[in-house]
Coordinates of all heavy atoms in Angstrom, one line a residue:
M1004 N 88.3 87.8 85.1 CA 88.2 87.0 86.3 C 89.1 87.5 87.4 O 89.6 86.7 88.2 CB 88.5 85.5 85.9 CG 87.6 84.8 85.0 SD 86.0 84.5 85.8 CE 86.4 82.8 86.4
S1005 N 89.4 88.8 87.4 CA 90.2 89.3 88.5 C 89.3 89.7 89.6 O 88.1 89.8 89.4 CB 91.0 90.5 88.0 OG 90.2 91.6 87.9
G1006 N 89.9 90.0 90.7 CA 89.1 90.4 91.9 C 88.7 91.9 91.8 O 88.0 92.4 92.6
L1007 N 89.3 92.6 90.8 CA 89.0 94.0 90.7 C 87.5 94.2 90.5 O 86.8 93.5 89.8 CB 89.8 94.6 89.6 CG 91.3 94.6 89.8 CD1 92.0 95.2 88.6 CD2 91.7 95.4 91.0
G1008 N 87.0 95.2 91.2 CA 85.6 95.5 91.1 C 84.7 94.8 92.1 O 83.6 95.1 92.2
C1009 N 85.3 93.8 92.7 CA 84.5 93.1 93.7 C 84.3 94.0 94.9 O 85.3 94.6 95.4 CB 85.2 91.8 94.1 SG 84.4 90.9 95.5
T1010 N 83.1 94.1 95.4 CA 82.9 95.0 96.5 C 82.8 94.3 97.8 O 82.5 94.9 98.8 CB 81.5 95.8 96.2 OG1 80.5 94.9 95.9 CG2 81.7 96.8 95.2
G1011 N 83.2 93.0 97.8 CA 83.4 92.4 99.1 C 82.1 91.6 99.6 O 81.1 91.8 99.0
P1012 N 82.3 90.8 100.6 CA 81.2 90.0 101.1 C 80.1 90.7 101.6 O 78.9 90.3 101.5 CB 81.9 89.2 102.2 CG 83.1 90.0 102.6 CD 83.6 90.7 101.4
T1013 N 80.3 91.9 102.2 CA 79.2 92.7 102.7 C 78.1 93.0 101.7 O 76.9 92.8 101.9 CB 79.7 94.0 103.4 OG1 80.6 93.6 104.4 CG2 78.5 94.7 104.1
S1014 N 78.6 93.6 100.5 CA 77.7 94.0 99.5 C 77.0 92.7 98.9 O 75.9 92.7 98.5 CB 78.4 94.8 98.4 OG 79.3 94.0 97.8
H1015 N 77.7 91.6 98.9 CA 77.2 90.4 98.4 C 76.0 89.9 99.3 O 74.9 89.5 98.8 CB 78.2 89.3 98.5 CG 77.8 88.0 97.9 ND1 77.4 87.8 96.6 CD2 77.6 86.7 98.4 CE1 77.0 86.6 96.3 NE2 77.2 85.9 97.4
V1016 N 76.1 90.1 100.6 CA 75.0 89.7 101.5 C 73.9 90.7 101.3 O 72.7 90.2 101.3 CB 75.5 89.8 103.0 CG1 74.3 89.6 103.9 CG2 76.6 88.7 103.2
R1017 N 74.2 92.0 101.1 CA 73.1 92.9 100.8 C 72.3 92.5 99.6 O 71.1 92.6 99.5 CB 73.7 94.3 100.7 CG 74.0 94.9 102.0 CD 74.2 96.5 101.9 NE 74.7 97.0 103.2 CZ 75.8 97.6 103.3 NH1 76.6 97.8 102.3 NH2 76.2 98.1 104.5
H1018 N 73.1 92.1 98.6 CA 72.4 91.7 97.3 C 71.5 90.5 97.6 O 70.4 90.5 97.1 CB 73.5 91.3 96.3 CG 73.0 90.9 95.0 ND1 72.2 91.7 94.2 CD2 73.1 89.7 94.3 CE1 71.9 91.0 93.1 NE2 72.4 89.8 93.1
L1019 N 72.0 89.5 98.4 CA 71.1 88.4 98.7 C 69.9 88.8 99.4 O 68.8 88.4 99.2 CB 71.9 87.4 99.6 CG 73.0 86.6 98.8 CD1 73.8 85.7 99.8 CD2 72.4 85.7 97.8
A1020 N 70.0 89.8 100.3 CA 68.9 90.3 101.1 C 67.8 90.9 100.1 O 66.6 90.8 100.3 CB 69.3 91.4 102.1
S1021 N 68.3 91.6 99.0 CA 67.4 92.2 98.1 C 66.7 91.1 97.3 O 65.5 91.3 96.8 CB 68.1 93.1 97.2 OG 68.9 92.4 96.3
L1022 N 67.3 89.9 97.2 CA 66.7 88.9 96.4 C 65.6 88.1 97.2 O 64.6 87.7 96.7 CB 67.7 87.8 96.0 CG 68.7 88.3 94.9 CD1 69.7 87.2 94.6 CD2 67.9 88.7 93.6
W1023 N 65.9 88.0 98.5 CA 64.9 87.3 99.4 C 64.5 88.2 100.6 O 65.1 88.2 101.7 CB 65.6 86.0 100.0 CG 65.8 85.0 98.9 CD1 64.8 84.4 98.2 CD2 67.0 84.5 98.5 NE1 65.4 83.5 97.3 CE2 66.8 83.5 97.5 CE3 68.4 84.7 98.8 CZ2 67.8 82.8 96.8 CZ3 69.4 84.0 98.2 CH2 69.1 83.1 97.2
P1024 N 63.6 89.1 100.3 CA 63.2 90.1 101.4 C 62.8 89.4 102.7 O 63.0 90.0 103.8 CB 62.0 90.8 100.8 CG 62.1 90.6 99.3 CD 62.8 89.2 99.1
G1025 N 62.3 88.2 102.6 CA 61.9 87.5 103.8 C 63.0 87.2 104.8 O 62.9 86.9 105.9
L1026 N 64.2 87.2 104.2 CA 65.4 86.8 105.0 C 66.1 88.1 105.6 O 67.1 88.0 106.3 CB 66.5 86.1 104.1 CG 66.1 84.7 103.7 CD1 67.2 84.1 102.8 CD2 66.0 83.8 104.9
N1027 N 65.5 89.2 105.3 CA 66.1 90.5 105.7 C 66.6 90.5 107.2 O 67.7 90.9 107.4 CB 65.2 91.7 105.5 CG 65.5 92.4 104.2 OD1 66.6 92.1 103.6 ND2 64.6 93.2 103.6
S1028 N 65.7 90.2 108.1 CA 66.1 90.3 109.5 C 67.3 89.5 109.8 O 68.2 89.9 110.5 CB 64.9 90.0 110.4 OG 64.5 88.7 110.2
R1029 N 67.2 88.2 109.3 CA 68.4 87.3 109.6 C 69.6 87.8 108.9 O 70.7 87.8 109.5 CB 68.1 85.9 109.0 CG 67.2 85.1 109.9 CD 67.0 83.7 109.3 NE 67.8 82.8 110.1 CZ 67.7 81.5 109.9 NH1 66.8 81.0 109.1 NH2 68.4 80.6 110.6
V1030 N 69.5 88.4 107.7 CA 70.7 88.9 107.0 C 71.2 90.1 107.7 O 72.5 90.3 107.8 CB 70.3 89.2 105.5 CG1 71.5 89.9 104.8 CG2 70.0 87.9 104.8
L1031 N 70.3 91.0 108.1 CA 70.8 92.2 108.8 C 71.5 91.8 110.1 O 72.5 92.4 110.5 CB 69.6 93.1 109.1 CG 69.0 93.8 107.9 CD1 67.8 94.6 108.3 CD2 70.1 94.7 107.3
E1032 N 71.0 90.8 110.8 CA 71.7 90.3 112.0 C 73.1 89.8 111.6 O 74.1 90.1 112.3 CB 70.9 89.2 112.6 CG 71.4 88.8 114.0 CD 70.5 87.7 114.6 OE1 69.3 87.7 114.3 OE2 71.0 86.9 115.3
L1033 N 73.2 89.1 110.5 CA 74.5 88.6 110.1 C 75.4 89.7 109.7 O 76.6 89.7 110.1 CB 74.2 87.7 108.8 CG 75.4 86.9 108.3 CD1 75.7 85.7 109.3 CD2 75.1 86.3 107.0
L1034 N 74.9 90.7 109.1 CA 75.7 91.9 108.7 C 76.2 92.6 109.9 O 77.4 93.0 110.0 CB 74.8 92.9 107.9 CG 74.7 92.7 106.4 CD1 73.7 93.8 105.8 CD2 76.1 92.9 105.8
R1035 N 75.4 92.7 111.0 CA 75.8 93.4 112.2 C 76.9 92.6 112.8 O 77.9 93.2 113.3 CB 74.6 93.5 113.1 CG 74.5 94.9 113.7 CD 73.2 95.0 114.5 NE 72.0 95.1 113.7 CZ 70.9 94.3 113.9 NH1 70.9 93.5 114.9 NH2 69.9 94.4 113.1
T1036 N 76.8 91.3 112.9 CA 77.9 90.5 113.6 C 79.1 90.5 112.8 O 80.2 90.3 113.3 CB 77.4 89.1 113.9 OG1 76.9 88.5 112.7 CG2 76.2 89.1 114.9
Q1037 N 79.0 90.6 111.4 CA 80.2 90.5 110.6 C 80.7 91.9 110.2 O 81.8 92.0 109.6 CB 79.9 89.8 109.3 CG 79.6 88.3 109.6 CD 79.6 87.5 108.3 OE1 79.4 88.0 107.2 NE2 79.8 86.2 108.4
N1038 N 80.0 93.0 110.6 CA 80.5 94.3 110.2 C 81.9 94.5 110.8 O 82.1 94.5 112.0 CB 79.5 95.3 110.8 CG 79.5 96.6 110.0 OD1 79.9 96.6 108.9 ND2 79.2 97.7 110.7
P1039 N 82.8 94.8 109.9 CA 84.2 95.1 110.4 C 84.3 96.3 111.2 O 83.6 97.3 111.0 CB 85.0 95.3 109.1 CG 84.1 94.9 108.0 CD 82.7 95.0 108.5
M1040 N 85.1 96.3 112.2 CA 85.3 97.4 113.2 C 86.1 98.5 112.5 O 87.0 98.3 111.8 CB 86.0 96.9 114.4 CG 85.2 96.0 115.3 SD 84.4 97.0 116.6 CE 85.7 97.2 117.7
K1041 N 85.7 99.7 112.9 CA 86.6 100.9 112.6 C 87.7 100.9 113.6 O 87.6 100.5 114.8 CB 85.8 102.2 112.6 CG 84.8 102.3 111.6 CD 84.1 103.6 111.6 CE 83.0 103.7 110.6 NZ 82.3 105.0 110.6
Y1042 N 88.9 101.4 113.2 CA 90.0 101.5 114.1 C 90.5 103.0 114.1 O 90.6 103.6 113.0 CB 91.1 100.6 113.7 CG 90.9 99.2 114.3 CD1 90.0 98.3 113.7 CD2 91.6 98.7 115.4 CE1 89.8 97.1 114.3 CE2 91.4 97.5 116.0 CZ 90.5 96.6 115.4 OH 90.3 95.4 115.9
E1043 N 90.9 103.5 115.3 CA 91.3 104.8 115.4 C 92.8 104.9 115.7 O 93.3 104.2 116.6 CB 90.5 105.5 116.4 CG 90.9 107.0 116.6 CD 90.0 107.7 117.6 OE1 88.9 107.1 118.0 OE2 90.3 108.9 117.9
C1044 N 93.5 105.8 115.1 CA 94.9 106.0 115.4 C 95.1 106.6 116.7 O 94.5 107.7 117.0 CB 95.6 106.8 114.3 SG 97.3 107.3 114.6
A1045 N 95.8 106.0 117.6 CA 96.0 106.5 119.0 C 96.8 107.8 119.0 O 96.8 108.6 119.9 CB 96.6 105.5 119.9
A1046 N 97.6 108.0 117.9 CA 98.5 109.2 117.9 C 97.8 110.4 117.4 O 98.0 111.5 117.9 CB 99.7 108.8 117.1
C1047 N 97.0 110.3 116.3 CA 96.5 111.5 115.6 C 95.0 111.5 115.5 O 94.4 112.5 115.1 CB 97.2 111.7 114.2 SG 96.5 110.6 113.0
G1048 N 94.4 110.4 115.8 CA 92.9 110.4 115.7 C 92.3 110.0 114.4 O 91.1 110.0 114.2
Y1049 N 93.2 109.7 113.4 CA 92.7 109.2 112.1 C 91.9 107.9 112.3 O 92.3 107.0 113.1 CB 93.9 109.0 111.2 CG 93.5 108.2 109.9 CD1 93.0 108.8 108.8 CD2 93.7 106.8 109.9 CE1 92.7 108.1 107.7 CE2 93.4 106.0 108.8 CZ 92.9 106.7 107.7 OH 92.6 106.0 106.5
V1050 N 90.7 107.8 111.6 CA 89.9 106.6 111.8 C 90.0 105.8 110.5 O 89.7 106.4 109.4 CB 88.5 107.0 112.1 CG1 87.6 105.7 112.1 CG2 88.4 107.7 113.5
Y1051 N 90.4 104.6 110.6 CA 90.3 103.7 109.4 C 88.9 103.1 109.3 O 88.4 102.4 110.3 CB 91.3 102.6 109.5 CG 91.2 101.6 108.4 CD1 91.6 101.9 107.1 CD2 90.6 100.3 108.6 CE1 91.4 101.0 106.0 CE2 90.4 99.4 107.5 CZ 90.8 99.8 106.3 OH 90.7 98.9 105.2
D1052 N 88.2 103.3 108.2 CA 86.9 102.8 108.0 C 87.0 101.6 107.0 O 87.3 101.8 105.8 CB 86.0 103.9 107.4 CG 84.6 103.4 107.2 OD1 84.3 102.2 107.3 OD2 83.7 104.3 106.9
P1053 N 86.7 100.4 107.5 CA 86.9 99.2 106.6 C 86.0 99.3 105.3 O 86.4 98.8 104.3 CB 86.5 98.0 107.5 CG 86.6 98.5 108.9 CD 86.3 100.0 108.8
E1054 N 84.9 99.9 105.4 CA 84.0 100.0 104.3 C 84.6 100.9 103.2 O 84.4 100.7 102.0 CB 82.6 100.5 104.7 CG 81.7 99.4 105.3 CD 80.3 99.9 105.3 OE1 79.8 100.6 104.4 OE2 79.6 99.6 106.3
A1055 N 85.3 101.9 103.6 CA 85.9 102.9 102.7 C 87.3 102.4 102.2 O 87.7 102.7 101.1 CB 86.0 104.2 103.3
G1056 N 88.0 101.6 103.1 CA 89.3 101.3 102.8 C 90.2 102.5 102.8 O 89.9 103.5 103.4
D1057 N 91.3 102.4 102.0 CA 92.3 103.5 101.9 C 92.8 103.4 100.5 O 94.0 103.0 100.3 CB 93.3 103.4 103.0 CG 94.3 104.6 103.0 OD1 93.9 105.6 102.3 OD2 95.3 104.5 103.7
P1058 N 92.0 103.7 99.5 CA 92.4 103.4 98.1 C 93.7 104.2 97.7 O 94.5 103.7 96.9 CB 91.2 104.0 97.3 CG 90.1 104.0 98.2 CD 90.6 104.2 99.6
E1059 N 93.9 105.3 98.3 CA 95.1 106.1 98.0 C 96.4 105.3 98.3 O 97.5 105.5 97.8 CB 95.1 107.4 98.7 CG 94.2 108.5 98.1 CD 94.3 109.8 98.9 OE1 95.3 110.1 99.4 OE2 93.2 110.5 98.9
N1060 N 96.2 104.4 99.3 CA 97.4 103.6 99.8 C 97.3 102.2 99.4 O 97.9 101.3 99.9 CB 97.6 103.8 101.3 CG 98.0 105.2 101.6 OD1 99.1 105.6 101.4 ND2 97.0 105.9 102.3
G1061 N 96.4 101.9 98.4 CA 96.3 100.6 97.8 C 95.4 99.6 98.6 O 95.5 98.4 98.4
V1062 N 94.6 100.1 99.6 CA 93.7 99.3 100.4 C 92.3 99.4 99.8 O 91.7 100.4 99.8 CB 93.7 99.7 101.8 CG1 92.8 98.8 102.6 CG2 95.1 99.7 102.4
E1063 N 91.8 98.3 99.3 CA 90.5 98.2 98.6 C 89.4 98.5 99.6 O 89.5 98.0 100.8 CB 90.3 96.9 97.9 CG 91.1 96.7 96.6 CD 90.6 95.4 95.9 OE1 89.4 95.2 95.8 OE2 91.5 94.7 95.5
P1064 N 88.4 99.2 99.2 CA 87.2 99.3 100.1 C 86.7 97.9 100.5 O 86.7 97.0 99.7 CB 86.2 100.0 99.3 CG 87.0 100.8 98.3 CD 88.2 99.9 98.0
G1065 N 86.3 97.7 101.8 CA 85.8 96.5 102.3 C 86.9 95.6 103.0 O 86.7 94.5 103.3
T1066 N 88.1 96.2 103.1 CA 89.2 95.5 103.7 C 89.2 95.7 105.3 O 89.3 96.8 105.7 CB 90.6 96.0 103.2 OG1 90.6 95.9 101.8 CG2 91.7 95.1 103.8
P1067 N 88.9 94.6 106.0 CA 88.9 94.7 107.5 C 90.3 95.2 108.0 O 91.3 94.8 107.3 CB 88.6 93.3 108.0 CG 88.1 92.6 106.8 CD 88.7 93.2 105.6
F1068 N 90.3 95.9 109.1 CA 91.6 96.4 109.6 C 92.6 95.2 109.8 O 93.8 95.4 109.5 CB 91.3 97.1 111.0 CG 92.6 97.6 111.6 CD1 93.1 98.9 111.2 CD2 93.2 96.9 112.6 CE1 94.2 99.4 111.7 CE2 94.4 97.5 113.2 CZ 94.9 98.7 112.7
E1069 N 92.1 94.1 110.3 CA 93.0 92.9 110.5 C 93.6 92.4 109.3 O 94.7 91.8 109.3 CB 92.2 91.8 111.1 CG 91.4 92.1 112.4 CD 90.1 92.8 112.1 OE1 89.2 92.1 111.4 OE2 89.8 93.9 112.6
N1070 N 93.0 92.7 108.1 CA 93.6 92.3 106.9 C 94.5 93.3 106.2 O 95.0 93.0 105.1 CB 92.4 91.9 105.9 CG 91.7 90.6 106.3 OD1 92.0 90.1 107.4 ND2 90.8 90.2 105.5
L1071 N 94.8 94.4 106.8 CA 95.7 95.3 106.3 C 97.1 94.7 106.2 O 97.4 93.9 107.0 CB 95.8 96.6 107.1 CG 94.6 97.5 107.1 CD1 94.8 98.7 108.1 CD2 94.3 98.0 105.7
P1072 N 97.8 95.0 105.1 CA 99.1 94.4 104.9 C 100.0 94.6 106.1 O 100.0 95.7 106.7 CB 99.7 95.1 103.7 CG 98.6 95.8 103.0 CD 97.5 96.0 104.1
H1073 N 100.9 93.6 106.4 CA 101.8 93.8 107.5 C 102.7 95.0 107.2 O 103.2 95.2 106.1 CB 102.7 92.5 107.6 CG 103.5 92.5 108.8 ND1 103.0 92.3 110.1 CD2 104.9 92.6 109.0 CE1 104.0 92.3 111.0 NE2 105.2 92.5 110.3
G1074 N 102.9 95.8 108.2 CA 103.7 97.0 108.1 C 102.9 98.2 107.6 O 103.5 99.3 107.3
S1075 N 101.6 98.1 107.5 CA 100.8 99.2 107.2 C 100.9 100.3 108.3 O 101.1 100.0 109.4 CB 99.3 98.9 107.1 OG 99.1 98.0 106.0
V1076 N 100.9 101.6 107.8 CA 101.0 102.7 108.7 C 99.8 103.7 108.6 O 99.1 103.6 107.6 CB 102.3 103.5 108.5 CG1 103.5 102.5 108.8 CG2 102.4 104.0 107.1
C1077 N 99.6 104.5 109.6 CA 98.6 105.5 109.5 C 98.9 106.5 108.4 O 100.1 107.0 108.3 CB 98.6 106.3 110.9 SG 97.5 107.7 110.8
P1078 N 98.0 106.7 107.5 CA 98.2 107.6 106.3 C 98.4 109.1 106.8 O 98.9 109.9 106.0 CB 97.0 107.5 105.4 CG 95.9 106.9 106.3 CD 96.6 106.1 107.4
E1079 N 98.0 109.4 108.0 CA 98.0 110.8 108.5 C 99.4 111.1 109.1 O 100.0 112.1 108.9 CB 96.9 111.1 109.4 CG 95.5 111.1 108.8 CD 95.3 112.2 107.8 OE1 95.9 113.3 108.0 OE2 94.7 112.0 106.8
C1080 N 99.8 110.2 110.0 CA 101.0 110.5 110.9 C 102.1 109.4 110.7 O 103.2 109.6 111.2 CB 100.6 110.6 112.3 SG 100.1 109.1 113.1
G1081 N 101.8 108.3 110.0 CA 102.8 107.4 109.7 C 103.1 106.4 110.8 O 104.1 105.6 110.7
I1082 N 102.3 106.4 111.9 CA 102.6 105.4 113.0 C 102.1 104.0 112.6 O 101.2 103.9 111.7 CB 101.9 105.9 114.3 CG1 102.7 105.4 115.5 CG2 100.5 105.5 114.3 CD1 102.3 106.1 116.8
G1083 N 102.7 103.0 113.1 CA 102.3 101.6 112.8 C 100.9 101.2 113.2 O 100.3 101.8 114.1
K1084 N 100.3 100.2 112.5 CA 99.0 99.9 112.7 C 98.8 99.3 114.1 O 97.6 99.2 114.6 CB 98.4 98.9 111.6 CG 99.1 97.6 111.6 CD 98.5 96.7 110.5 CE 97.5 95.7 111.0 NZ 97.1 94.7 110.1
D1085 N 99.8 98.8 114.7 CA 99.7 98.3 116.1 C 99.3 99.3 117.1 O 99.0 99.0 118.2 CB 101.0 97.5 116.5 CG 102.2 98.4 116.4 OD1 102.2 99.4 115.6 OD2 103.2 98.0 117.1
M1086 N 99.4 100.6 116.7 CA 99.0 101.7 117.6 C 97.6 102.1 117.4 O 97.1 103.0 118.1 CB 99.9 102.9 117.3 CG 101.4 102.8 117.8 SD 101.5 102.4 119.6 CE 100.9 104.0 120.2
F1087 N 96.9 101.4 116.5 CA 95.5 101.7 116.3 C 94.6 101.0 117.4 O 95.0 99.9 117.8 CB 95.0 101.3 114.9 CG 95.3 102.3 113.8 CD1 96.6 102.6 113.6 CD2 94.3 102.9 113.1 CE1 96.9 103.6 112.6 CE2 94.6 103.8 112.1 CZ 95.9 104.1 111.8
E1088 N 93.5 101.6 117.7 CA 92.6 101.0 118.7 C 91.2 100.9 118.1 O 90.8 101.8 117.3 CB 92.5 101.9 120.0 CG 93.9 102.0 120.7 CD 93.8 103.1 121.8 OE1 92.9 104.0 121.7 OE2 94.7 103.1 122.6
P1089 N 90.4 99.9 118.5 CA 89.1 99.8 118.0 C 88.3 101.1 118.3 O 88.4 101.6 119.4 CB 88.5 98.6 118.8 CG 89.7 97.8 119.2 CD 90.8 98.8 119.4
A1090 N 87.5 101.5 117.4 CA 86.7 102.7 117.5 C 85.2 102.4 117.2 O 84.9 101.7 116.3 CB 87.2 103.8 116.7
G1091 N 84.3 103.1 117.9 CA 82.9 103.1 117.7 C 82.4 101.8 117.1 O 81.5 101.8 116.4
Ligands
LIG1220 ZN1 97.9 108.6 112.9

């Protein structure tokens, strides 16, 4: 009953979409509006992808940038997350 292995709300929605194909367009719209933003490091250009997370630094895939632990830093250059800017 641990949270390990949970792939997050996004994959859960996708699973629901596969169960009810008729809801696809609505679910896809939901996915688009809930899709977490990527953030780019202003110092070195590293891009944090919420879908991929940062497992090497203990960030599970599916973690939105806003939910990164306080004090998180860029894995490339070590600058604080407050220096990241929304990307694409
Ligand atoms: Zn950086």
